[in-house]
Each structure stands twice: as C-alpha cells, then as structure tokens.
Amino acid sequence: MTDAPAVTEDNTQSLTIRDNRTGSEYAVPITDGTIKAADLGKIRVDEETPGLAVYDPGFVNTASCRSAVTFIDGDKGILEYRGYPIEQLAEKSNFLEVAYLLIHGALPTKAEYDAWEHEITYHTFVHENVKSFMHGFRYDAHPMGMLMASVGALSTFYPDARNIDDPANRHMQIVRMIAKMPTLGAWSFRHAQGKPFVYPDNDLSYTENFLSMLFKMSEKKFEADERLVRALDVLFILHADHEQNASTNAVRSVGSTQVDPYSAVAAGVGALFGPLHGGANEAVLRMLRRIGKKENIPSFIDGVKNGNERLMGFGHRVYKNYDPRAKIIKKSAEDVFEVTGTNPLLDIALELEKIALEDEYFVQRKLYPNVDFYSGLIYEAFQFPPEMFTVLFAIGRTPGWLAQWLELVQDKEQKIARPKQIYTGERRLDFTAASERWA
C-alpha cells in the first residue's frame, strides 16, 4: 500500500520513508536539511496506535528552533555571531558592542552604541534590598548559587517584566539584566571573602567596573591594567553565545512558558552550574596540577591512551576541529601573564598541547584544545578561586541567553517545551488499600 504522494512540488526535496510494518510509503519534506518531527508522527500502523516519534537523549541530532543568533560549523572550526567571525569580533570589538550585536542583530551606529553604553552603565546599580538578600547567604555559600538565586530574585523587583509582549518592556529588562550581572557576580565574590560590597563606578567601562567591584579595597579610585581589562573583555566575548548548548536550551525551555526573562536566565545559570557544562576549565587546572611538571607529560599521555587518565580541555561535542575560541584565548593568556607573571602550569599546558596535536592517537580522534583549556589559567592569574569561574562564564553568556530568549518570544512557531517520552513502567496495576497491604 502506498500513502499520499510527496507533499512538496519538488520530489528531490523530500525523504521517502517506507514503513515495513505496513508497506506504506510516506514523502516527508526536507527543509534546511531537516524534517519535521510532526511529519514523522503521521506514520502509524493504524488509527489506534501512536505515530512514530524520535528518541534522541541529549538532543544529539534534533533541532528545537530556528535561530539567526549564532552559526557554528564544528567540522571546519567556525564560530560566528550574527554572521561575524569570532576572530574579528575578539580582535576589533568590545563586549558591549558584541552584546548589542547579539540582541539587535546588527552592529550599532556611533549614536546607538553611545545610547546603549549609557543605558547599561546607568542600570548597573541594584536595589538596596538585593544587598540585604545577599547578606543572608551563609559565609561559605557558593558564588554560583548566590548568582542563580539573586538573578531569579530580580523578577520580584521588576514585576512588569512579565509583560513580555511589550517591545519597550523587553528592552528595559534586557538592559537591566546585562547591566546588573557584573554587580551580582562581584558581590557574590566579595561575600565569599567576607569583604564589604563595592558599588558600581559609572566612570569606568563595563569590564573595568566589574574588576573594580571585585578587587577595590581602600584606594580612592580603582585602576586596572589595560591588558587585564582587555583580556577579560575578550573572554566575555568568547563566551557570549554558543548556539543551543545546555544552558541556552534551559533558557529557551523555561522561557517557552512565557515567564519573565529573569526567571529564564536564572534557569540558564542553574544549567551552567553543572560540572559537565561550566566546570570544564576547573577540571583542566586539576589535570595540570596532577601532571606536575613537563617531564611527566609522556607518562600522562600513555595513561590517557590506556584509559587510566582523562585529557581535559580537549575535544568538544560540537567542534571536530580546533575550537576557534581556543586560539584567541591562548593569545589572551600570554598577555595576562605579562602582567601577573608566568604560571608554571602554562608551560605544562603548552607542552601538553604540542604533544597532543602531533600524536596520531589524538589527531585521529580529532581531540583539539577547546576554550576551557586556557581559560582556567587566565582566571587563576586574576586570582579568582575556582568557584568563581562559572560566574564569569555566566556574565559573558548573559547577552546570548537574552538574545535567544528574545528570539524565542517573537517566534510564532515556538510552543511551550513539552518533549515526548518512552514509557517503561508498569501498566494497569490493581490498587490495594493500605489497610489490606499492611495487615
């Protein structure tokens, strides 16, 4: 039996599926290299049987949305924001300009950038009640947990944020979120150290202000080395967005309920908190310390090949080539160490990278350094404790999360996230009352 003819005028742009259970054939349209899961749902044995579904744990090969924010070609090692190569943005732009690009979809004019920078700077302060709220955490509270809670709490300070259908309102919340993330991140850092909170300094740039709130003590005016400011700014750019990763998927999934953006971003922070997402650079540092010195690298490499060691900071779920961000961050590491002094772990990292890139075992498996391989070394040079690494990641990722959220709420095709499941439990059991079960 053959089902209806192809649903596209051009049969070459469709997939013909033969259901061997019934002998029926189905023509499923191919659009942008994908087929719709709903079209597969039309394939069924009979009217009483559920349609065919896709089982894809972790969304390994399932597209959940259309997006114009970020393009990645993992095989070629390409990363672009709104069409602009990450290499050019890291070299020629700054974080606030990249944030504007991600949110608005185009580079700003001089007037637009000045207005954007003014808005962000003006909104860096948070309500004094937030300060009291953060003081309520235990002295040893993890900074990432504090950030997640305080971001979610902002929704109670701006209840109008729930009006997500108003473009002006959406813009206001986006500005507030980007502006206040460094303040919340810096205060979580200071709280963990038992130091007084430092208020934003509106005379400083975005990244300079963040460093001031982190490290200012008794000096009248905090001044950071320009090379350190630039290196951190580049790190923020490199982390600004990365397509549909776990935390972005969390933002979109929670955002699909039409909740306010603070709650959606808090979900992203929570996903980033997980060691499989945001904690990879800390694992790299632990690996380098375990190696100890360059002379131990060959034995470590042998351990990796034999399955006794794990090579952290190499390979990526998306990139099957050299992570383009890793090349940029390697240069930033060199600039930072000019100011802070060389970290002995850098020598181990450089030698490990050299050996791994020449070893056929790693080349065949396409295990190249990723962005986490050097970022931990940079953060450590800034004297950040490991628990702050993901906070820095979250600050950089905020514009990307918001750009994805903004795209979501304006996308007419999007629906509330509700994936299917394959039920594996018992069926049609007879319930016995407790008085009988316990007799």
Side-chain angles (χ1 to χ4, degrees):
M1 182 177 71
T2 303
D3 207 79
V7 291
T8 54
E9 294 181 3
D10 180 2
N11 286 344
T12 62
Q13 296 302 310
S14 67
L15 179 71
T16 300
I17 300 176
R18 177 180 176 84
D19 188 345
N20 291 325
R21 299 171 301 177
T22 63
S24 297
E25 289 189 355
Y26 302 82
V28 179
I30 299 174
T31 306
D32 297 328
T34 66
I35 61 173
K36 288 186 176 181
D39 287 336
L40 292 180
K42 300 173 184 176
I43 302 175
R44 61 180 67 206
V45 174
D46 53 52
E47 292 300 323
E48 303 300 321
T49 306
L52 203 62
V54 176
Y55 179 59
D56 189 12
F59 304 108
V60 175
N61 193 35
T62 299
S64 61
C65 65
R66 296 179 183 275
S67 179
V69 179
T70 296
F71 173 80
I72 297 176
D73 187 327
D75 292 329
K76 297 179 181 179
I78 295 174
L79 170 62
E80 297 172 354
Y81 295 162
R82 300 289 190 180
Y84 293 94
I86 191 64
E87 295 86 352
Q88 295 181 19
L89 294 173
E91 178 185 357
K92 302 175 182 179
S93 188
N94 63 54
F95 179 64
L96 278 190
E97 185 177 35
V98 169
Y100 184 98
L101 170 67
L102 289 171
I103 298 297
H104 294 89
L107 292 171
T109 64
K110 178 65 165 60
E112 288 170 338
Y113 178 79
D114 288 345
W116 174 251
E117 184 181 41
H118 173 76
E119 279 187 302
I120 299 294
T121 302
Y122 180 80
H123 286 281
T124 51
F125 282 79
V126 296
H127 196 286
E128 278 294 292
N129 285 357
V130 174
K131 183 177 177 181
S132 303
F133 172 77
M134 297 188 77
H135 275 309
F137 287 101
R138 278 175 54 98
Y139 69 93
D140 58 351
H142 195 291
M144 197 64 169
M146 294 181 64
L147 182 67
M148 179 170 55
S150 55
V151 168
L154 287 181
S155 65
T156 66
F157 290 90
Y158 306 109
D160 57 325
R162 293 194 295 269
N163 186 12
I164 63 172
D165 293 327
D166 181 358
N169 194 309
R170 292 197 301 258
H171 174 78
M172 188 70 266
Q173 312 314 324
I174 287 170
V175 166
R176 285 172 174 159
M177 189 77 271
I178 295 174
K180 298 179 193 306
M181 281 293 280
T183 307
L184 298 176
W187 284 11
S188 66
F189 173 75
R190 301 282 290 201
H191 177 83
Q193 295 190 327
K195 295 177 180 177
F197 295 162
V198 176
Y199 287 102
D201 185 340
N202 288 348
D203 291 333
L204 301 176
S205 70
Y206 186 87
T207 305
E208 284 178 309
N209 181 43
F210 178 53
L211 288 172
S212 173
M213 290 187 290
L214 287 165
F215 299 120
K216 183 178 180 182
M217 293 301 293
S218 58
E219 63 269 41
K220 187 174 182 180
K221 193 76 172 178
F222 180 85
E223 295 183 6
D225 189 290
E226 291 184 3
R227 290 167 293 183
L228 296 181
V229 174
R230 179 58 187 162
L232 190 55
D233 206 61
V234 168
L235 278 166
F236 285 160
I237 291 173
L238 298 182
H239 285 122
D241 194 60
H242 208 240
E243 205 214 39
Q244 302 306 309
N245 52 80
S247 58
T248 299
N249 179 67
V251 170
R252 277 183 169 265
S253 182
V254 172
S256 72
T257 69
Q258 298 188 351
V259 74
D260 66 89
Y262 302 106
S263 299
V265 170
V269 176
L272 191 61
F273 200 173
L276 292 183
H277 188 9
N281 45 25
E282 185 178 349
V284 171
L285 289 178
R286 288 197 299 267
M287 176 190 71
L288 295 175
R289 289 194 176 94
R290 191 169 67 254
I291 294 173
K293 53 185 178 181
K294 290 194 292 185
E295 291 77 10
N296 295 335
I297 293 177
S299 62
F300 174 80
I301 292 291
D302 290 339
V304 172
K305 294 178 180 179
N306 295 328
N308 300 321
E309 297 281 3
R310 290 191 64 190
L311 183 62
M312 308 305 298
F314 279 72
H316 194 279
R317 175 150 161 186
V318 174
Y319 296 110
K320 307 307 176 187
N321 202 319
Y322 205 106
D323 184 340
R325 301 170 300 171
K327 297 179 181 179
I328 300 167
I329 210 168
K330 183 178 179 180
K331 175 63 171 63
S332 294
E334 295 170 356
D335 295 339
V336 168
F337 289 131
E338 283 183 7
V339 180
T340 64
T342 303
N343 185 334
L345 296 180
L346 178 63
D347 296 331
I348 300 174
L350 291 171
E351 184 66 16
L352 180 60
E353 178 187 28
K354 179 176 180 294
I355 292 175
L357 290 178
E358 295 173 351
D359 193 300
E360 193 63 25
Y361 176 90
F362 300 105
V363 173
Q364 287 182 351
R365 289 163 174 77
K366 297 183 178 180
L367 294 177
Y368 300 96
N370 58 43
V371 69
D372 298 308
F373 189 64
Y374 286 105
S375 62
L377 291 170
I378 294 177
Y379 293 152
E380 190 173 68
F382 274 89
Q383 299 183 349
F384 290 119
E387 56 267 23
M388 272 295 293
F389 291 179
T390 41
V391 172
L392 299 166
F393 194 154
I395 294 170
R397 182 55 55 86
T398 298
W401 285 334
L402 291 168
Q404 298 275 352
W405 171 82
L406 186 62
E407 193 174 59
L408 165 82
V409 299
Q410 297 179 93
D411 186 349
K412 300 301 182 183
E413 288 188 341
Q414 286 298 304
K415 302 176 181 179
I416 184 172
R418 183 43 167 98
K420 283 183 173 290
Q421 66 166 23
I422 300 174
Y423 179 71
T424 60
E426 300 284 353
R427 292 288 316 282
R428 302 185 183 280
L429 300 178
D430 288 325
F431 180 78
T432 304
S435 58
E436 297 180 39
R437 297 197 318 271
W438 300 343

